[in-house]
């Protein structure tokens, strides 16, 4: 070949190497990246066959990609065809280096091995190659085996090319010095690209594990809501998948990218991270009088004191009474008082649970009972209920006072503040918005920012439905029983009509039976009372 033609060819191959490096740097899929490395190396050197190995944690070279043009063989990578070959060990059972195998030797020494003819080469064991050639009717001759080193100069794999060919005749030739130099450059670029993928993978795993630590911390702090942090992502991802695949209606043209799905997953995992700042006695307040313990016990103790004092008074009165009829009346009055006290304690205990909406007349009766008096350990007369206890026992709905509910609601503000301080990478920049929107409503009456539907991303609106459905059907809440699916769907239907949740997303949730897929894995069999939305809505009709 004329000198000018050789120079032109070298420049062309160098330019191609640069293009390959750029292509490798933007490939995000590991299987496609490995496949591209080998294909480009074959193309760059006119190699007929090749193998790409990766070093595993057991000091073995695993077959990742195997290709042979003449035999029309393509295994591994995007082909979907696995390689049924045992990994190549770097050391034998005694710990001795496996220097007889050319790929292992390259990995152990970090040196490129360029063999002109495998059948004539000395120092390496090519018996396996010969058996393969005999079986397949092939002749492996020239070998170029290049170790792949990352930025820390550590071996992460081996790139092996077989049978360089003449472009015109197709005859097998040896790999030239230029072939070796270009392949070493390509292997270096490939190692960097692969190391970048490993680094991104490790950072991704680190982030997910950190998030799981946060969820575990919330779980340890409150077993009543810890499971919520792990179940909401399941519902959110199922609904997002259903929206992605719906192909009709308002979301017909909406497709979530892989990064957007991952962003939603991270946001769902962290949507309640602010609860780590919420006092335990508020998060776990199962009854109206509960703080560190349920103070209904104190009320019961006070009533016991009233009974004791009443009995002492009765005994003194009977000791001074000489009239049998009057004595009977005193005993009857005492029995009536005891019955009243028992009934009042039962009533207060029922009010303490907070499972039903409290009527005004019940609140008034609590106030009346609160005026009963008992003598404390100092002999001072005290009301049966303190002002604070009376305030709690007359809560109209649930077990939380308005102040405590504000503390609970503040968790979403804490969540937003915590997440906005994190330097999320570009593909996760919307995590605070998605995680922070699950208490907003479509009509702008939600909190903490009063956003409307138009102000929120689809992912944030997905979070709202996921959060509510999990809360309704959860079996680990101290203040309520696990709700059947039909009842939960009925409530969500009314919330849809009230513009509390996104109506279009809820339609997908129902029509694609997202609730059924979730229920099968996370709900008790007794809760799975319907697979039909129509049945659910018929059983729980809207008050409208």
């Amino acid at each position: 070949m004329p000198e000018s033609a050789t120079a032109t060819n070298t420049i062309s191959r160098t330019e191609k190497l640069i293009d390959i490096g750029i292509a490798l740097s933007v490939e995000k899929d590991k299987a496609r990246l490995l496949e591209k490395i080998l294909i480009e190396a074959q193309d760059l050197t006119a190699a007929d066959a090749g193998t790409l190995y990766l070093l595993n944690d057991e000091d073995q070279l695993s077959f990742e990609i195997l290709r042979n043009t003449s035999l029309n063989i393509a295994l591994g990578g995007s082909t979907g065809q696995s390689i049924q070959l045992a990994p190549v060990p770097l050391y034998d059972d005694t710990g001795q280096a496996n220097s007889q195998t050319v790929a292992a030797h390259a990995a152990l020494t970090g040196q490129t091995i360029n063999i002109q003819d495998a059948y004539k080469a000395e120092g390496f064991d090519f018996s396996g190659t010969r058996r393969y050639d005999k079986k397949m009717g092939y002749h492996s001759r020239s070998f170029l085996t290049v170790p792949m080193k990352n930025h820390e100069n550590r071996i992460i794999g081996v790139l092996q090319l077989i049978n360089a060919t003449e472009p015109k005749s197709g005859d097998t030739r040896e790999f030239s010095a230029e072939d070796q130099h270009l392949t070493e450059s390509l292997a270096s670029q490939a190692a960097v690209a692969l190391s970048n993928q490993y680094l991104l993978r490790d950072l991704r795993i680190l982030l997910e594990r950190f998030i799981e630590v946060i969820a575990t911390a919330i779980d340890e702090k409150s077993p009543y809501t810890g499971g919520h942090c792990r179940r909401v992502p399941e519902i959110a991802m199922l609904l997002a998948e259903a929206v992605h695949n719906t192909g009709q209606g308002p979301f017909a043209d909406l497709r979530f990218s892989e990064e957007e799905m991952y962003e939603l997953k991270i946001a769902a995992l962290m949507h309640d991270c602010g609860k780590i700042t919420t006092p335990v006695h508020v998060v776990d307040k199962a009854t109206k009088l509960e703080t560190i313990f349920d103070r209904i016990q104190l009320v019961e103790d006070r009533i016991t004191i009233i009974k004791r004092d009443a009995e002492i008074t009765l005994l003194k009165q009977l000791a001074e009474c000489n009239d049998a009829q009057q004595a009977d009346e005193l005993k009857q009055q005492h029995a009536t008082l005891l019955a009243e006290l028992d009934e009042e304690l039962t009533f207060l205990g029922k009010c303490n649970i907070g499972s039903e909406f409290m009527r005004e007349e019940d609140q008034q009766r609590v106030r009346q009972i609160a005026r009963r008096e008992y003598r404390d350990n100092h002999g001072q007369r005290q009301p049966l209920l303190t002002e604070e206890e009376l305030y709690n026992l007359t809560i109209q709905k649930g077990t939380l006072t308005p102040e405590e509910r504000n503390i609970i609601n503040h968790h979403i503000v804490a969540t937003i503040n915590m997440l906005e301080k994190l330097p999320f990478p570009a593909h996760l920049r919307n995590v605070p918005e998605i995680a922070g929107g699950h208490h907003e409503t479509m009509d702008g009456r939600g909190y903490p920012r009063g956003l409307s539907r138009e102000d929120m991303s689809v992912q944030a609106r997905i979070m709202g439905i996921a959060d509510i459905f999990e809360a309704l059907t959860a079996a680990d809440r101290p203040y309520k029983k696990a709700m059947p699916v039909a009842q939960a769907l009925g409530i969500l239907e009314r919330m849809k009509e009230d513009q509390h949740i996104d109506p279009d997303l809820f339609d997908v949730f129902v029509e694609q039976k997202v609730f059924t897929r979730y229920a099968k894995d996370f709900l008790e069999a007794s809760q799975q009372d319907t697979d039909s939305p129509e049945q659910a809505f018929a059983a729980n009709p809207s008050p409208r």
Side-chain angles (χ1 to χ4, degrees):
M1 181 181 293
E3 185 175 336
S4 61
T6 301
T8 301
N9 183 52
T10 300
I11 294 173
S12 176
R13 296 173 80 189
T14 303
E15 290 176 345
K16 182 173 179 59
L17 182 63
I18 294 172
D19 293 337
I20 292 170
I22 295 172
L24 295 181
S25 68
V26 299
E27 180 56 67
K28 297 179 180 179
D29 183 84
K30 179 184 175 184
R32 289 197 298 266
L33 174 62
L34 296 176
E35 189 175 60
K36 187 173 293 185
I37 292 170
L38 182 55
I39 290 174
E40 296 295 353
Q42 284 183 258
D43 185 57
L44 197 63
T45 60
D48 184 56
T51 303
L52 192 149
Y53 307 86
L54 289 183
L55 186 63
N56 62 29
D57 295 334
E58 298 177 356
D59 281 336
Q60 298 173 329
L61 292 173
S62 298
F63 287 83
E64 298 294 331
I65 311 291
L66 190 153
R67 300 180 68 87
N68 188 304
T69 305
S70 296
L71 298 178
N72 195 28
I73 293 175
L75 301 176
S78 64
T79 66
Q81 302 293 320
S82 61
I83 303 175
Q84 303 299 322
L85 294 173
V88 178
L90 298 189
Y91 304 93
D92 62 21
D93 294 338
T94 65
Q96 295 297 313
N98 179 17
S99 298
Q100 299 301 308
T101 304
V102 65
H105 186 78
L108 288 166
T109 62
Q111 300 296 317
T112 297
I113 301 170
N114 191 338
I115 296 175
Q116 298 179 12
D117 191 337
Y119 280 67
K120 297 178 181 179
E122 297 180 355
F124 296 106
D125 180 8
F126 282 102
S127 59
T129 300
R130 290 189 178 93
R131 288 194 299 270
Y132 177 84
D133 286 353
K134 184 176 181 180
K135 178 181 177 181
M136 304 300 296
Y138 192 69
H139 184 82
S140 303
R141 181 184 164 194
S142 56
F143 275 73
L144 180 61
T145 308
V146 181
M148 297 170 61
K149 301 177 185 179
N150 66 9
H151 60 287
E152 296 176 336
N153 206 37
R154 292 172 54 194
I155 302 298
I156 63 172
V158 170
L159 175 61
Q160 187 173 76
L161 301 175
I162 302 172
N163 287 357
T165 58
E166 292 290 352
K168 293 183 178 180
S169 66
D171 294 336
T172 301
R173 61 173 177 81
E174 64 185 65
F175 288 95
S176 66
E178 184 180 339
D179 289 334
Q180 179 174 329
H181 178 66
L182 290 172
T183 303
E184 288 172 340
S185 297
L186 173 57
S188 178
Q189 294 183 52
V192 170
L194 196 55
S195 294
N196 286 340
Q197 281 207 353
Y198 287 159
L199 179 60
L200 291 173
R201 178 203 64 189
D202 292 345
L203 289 174
R204 181 168 175 163
I205 292 173
L206 176 63
L207 177 61
E208 290 181 6
R209 294 296 180 270
F210 176 73
I211 292 169
E212 289 174 5
V213 167
I214 296 293
T216 301
I218 297 173
D219 195 0
E220 292 294 327
K221 182 178 181 181
S222 173
Y224 299 130
T225 59
H228 176 77
C229 297
R230 290 184 293 275
R231 292 189 293 263
V232 166
E234 298 291 341
I235 303 172
M237 298 307 288
L238 286 172
L239 180 51
E241 181 183 334
V243 170
H244 178 85
N245 295 328
T246 185
Q248 60 184 5
F251 303 113
D253 299 325
L254 178 61
R255 296 292 181 273
F256 292 121
S257 67
E258 183 178 339
E259 287 187 344
E260 287 172 330
M261 291 291 282
Y262 183 67
E263 185 177 49
L264 174 60
K265 176 185 176 182
I266 295 299
L269 283 167
M270 301 192 74
H271 81 284
D272 268 351
C273 65
K275 282 184 178 177
I276 203 166
T277 67
T278 308
V280 176
H281 72 274
V282 177
V283 175
D284 291 355
K285 192 180 181 189
T287 65
K288 294 181 181 181
L289 289 180
E290 184 172 357
T291 50
I292 298 176
F293 67 99
D294 192 345
R295 290 174 294 165
I296 195 68
Q297 300 170 19
L298 296 179
V299 177
E300 185 175 351
D301 291 343
R302 294 167 193 163
I303 287 180
T304 299
I305 292 172
I306 295 174
K307 288 181 178 180
R308 180 204 64 190
D309 291 347
E311 184 174 1
I312 292 172
T313 300
L314 173 64
L315 292 175
K316 287 181 178 179
Q317 290 174 333
L318 291 177
E320 298 173 357
C321 179
N322 298 319
D323 187 332
Q325 182 178 354
Q326 184 180 7
D328 289 340
E329 290 177 356
L330 290 173
K331 292 178 182 178
Q332 182 60 43
Q333 291 172 4
H334 179 71
T336 300
L337 174 61
L338 294 183
E340 288 178 357
L341 290 172
D342 286 340
E343 193 278 330
E344 288 175 356
L345 179 60
T346 300
F347 173 73
L348 292 178
K350 182 179 179 181
C351 293
N352 186 42
I353 295 174
S355 60
E356 299 177 358
F357 185 83
M358 194 171 194
R359 300 175 302 172
E360 174 60 36
E361 51 265 39
D362 290 335
Q363 291 177 317
Q364 188 57 40
R365 189 179 178 204
V366 172
R367 296 187 185 99
Q368 187 177 15
I369 294 173
R371 289 196 288 269
R372 276 194 184 275
E373 293 183 337
Y374 74 101
R375 290 188 181 276
D376 63 18
N377 58 334
H378 299 293
Q380 302 296 316
R381 300 187 72 84
Q382 302 289 350
L384 180 63
L385 300 176
T386 66
E387 287 295 326
E388 193 270 340
E389 291 166 346
L390 176 60
Y391 181 57
N392 276 268
L393 272 176
T394 52
I395 294 171
Q396 199 168 44
K397 184 179 181 181
T399 63
L400 300 177
T401 65
E403 294 79 11
E404 290 167 337
R405 193 164 295 281
N406 286 336
I407 292 174
I408 289 288
N409 291 349
H410 180 74
H411 83 272
I412 190 62
V413 177
T415 293
I416 294 172
N417 290 340
M418 290 169 65
L419 295 181
E420 286 184 342
K421 290 179 181 178
L422 293 177
F424 284 109
H427 68 286
L428 295 176
R429 64 181 178 273
N430 296 316
V431 164
E433 185 268 337
I434 297 170
H438 65 279
H439 286 301
E440 304 288 355
T441 60
M442 301 305 101
D443 57 5
R445 292 183 296 171
Y447 66 91
R449 293 173 172 170
L451 303 178
S452 62
R453 183 183 186 186
E454 293 72 23
D455 301 321
M456 302 164 64
S457 65
V458 175
Q459 293 95 316
R461 285 178 267 153
I462 285 174
M463 283 296 304
I465 293 176
D467 186 69
I468 295 169
F469 186 74
E470 193 289 325
L472 292 174
T473 56
D476 53 8
R477 303 298 172 91
Y479 47 83
K480 72 174 188 66
K481 295 181 179 179
M483 191 175 291
V485 169
Q487 186 179 357
L489 290 177
I491 291 175
L492 283 170
E493 173 69 16
R494 291 192 288 275
M495 296 179 82
K496 164 190 167 181
E497 296 173 358
D498 291 337
Q499 288 297 301
H500 191 105
I501 60 175
D502 187 293
D504 297 327
L505 284 174
F506 181 65
D507 288 344
V508 174
F509 185 81
V510 171
E511 292 166 4
Q512 301 299 320
K513 296 187 178 180
V514 174
F515 61 90
T516 300
R517 296 168 61 190
Y518 172 75
K520 287 179 180 178
D521 292 330
F522 294 95
L523 301 186
E524 300 291 337
S526 59
Q527 293 178 262
Q528 300 178 44
D529 56 348
T530 182
D531 192 44
S532 166
E534 294 77 13
Q535 177 186 343
F537 299 148
N540 298 273
S542 170
R544 300 178 189 277

